[in-house]
Amino acid sequence: MGGDEEQVAVYDASGRVTGSATRARMRHEGLWHAATSVLVRSPDGQSVYVHRRTSTKDVYPGLYDCWAGGVVAAGEAPERTARRELAEELGIDAAPRFLFRTVHQRASVRFHAFLHEVSWDGPIVHQPEEVAEGWWASLPELHALLDDPDRPFVPDGRQFLEEWLASRWAV
């Protein structure tokens, strides 16, 4: 994620781009925005890459997640954001496949989420400012992680994972 002065795309509640604002203003005013999330799966589809966020993250520090992603910048297509964030956070240079779109709302955080996945068997290089550690988890292990109170997931990542597991995309 960029600095507080980075310009991000502002959306309306129905999902249309309406302008832009600084990241700081978007957070402070709880403006609707968009974000992308990319699920990294093993080539056989049986494992997902899980990671723990660094304790210095501005949002949900130290929590677990299995999505790489970030806020859509002003003028940037969500597909471009997905590829950029995947490369930045996990060092994966690949074109993710679009899965589905959903909405996340929790307190003043409101955004349209563009969910993607990528199959990957190459090296993973963590962005040290964002990712503290990571590992591959089988789908049964992933279910167990979601139920483990000692490994709390970020709320949006949990929501997306539950939607993904309940959908035909998890097959």
Side-chain angles (χ1 to χ4, degrees):
M1 291 192 181
D4 284 344
E5 296 306 310
E6 173 190 12
Q7 291 288 311
V8 300
V10 173
Y11 283 60
D12 64 16
S14 69
R16 290 178 298 151
V17 177
T18 60
S20 65
T22 63
R23 178 182 295 271
R25 180 174 165 227
M26 176 268 293
R27 294 257 189 254
H28 178 73
E29 296 179 22
L31 300 175
W32 276 99
H33 59 287
T36 62
S37 292
V38 182
L39 187 69
V40 180
R41 296 180 72 182
S42 61
D44 67 3
Q46 298 304 304
S47 296
V48 169
Y49 196 76
V50 177
H51 65 274
R52 185 174 57 80
R53 297 163 66 91
T54 62
S55 60
T56 56
K57 288 285 292 174
D58 63 335
V59 179
Y60 306 126
L63 298 188
Y64 292 84
D65 202 354
C66 58
W67 302 87
V71 174
V72 176
E76 186 175 47
E79 296 75 23
R80 173 70 186 111
T81 305
R83 187 167 187 154
R84 175 178 53 79
E85 291 288 342
L86 184 61
E88 286 176 8
E89 291 180 19
L90 300 178
I92 297 174
D93 184 15
R97 179 174 67 96
F98 178 75
L99 293 175
F100 60 94
R101 186 172 170 172
T102 190
V103 171
H104 178 75
Q105 294 186 70
R106 184 171 191 244
S108 65
V109 177
R110 306 178 304 168
F111 65 90
H112 299 277
F114 295 83
L115 306 182
H116 300 76
E117 76 173 4
V118 69
S119 176
W120 187 253
D121 66 353
I124 295 179
V125 180
H126 299 155
Q127 181 181 28
E129 298 81 16
E130 300 220 11
V131 180
E133 64 178 326
W135 66 94
W136 290 99
S138 68
L139 295 180
E141 290 169 333
L142 193 57
H143 282 281
L145 283 171
L146 283 174
D147 294 334
D148 184 348
D150 292 329
R151 295 197 180 192
F153 267 70
V154 296
D156 55 336
R158 174 180 290 279
Q159 173 193 328
F160 304 155
L161 187 55
E162 289 171 350
E163 290 179 26
W164 178 77
L165 288 167
S167 74
R168 62 185 175 93
W169 298 107
V171 178

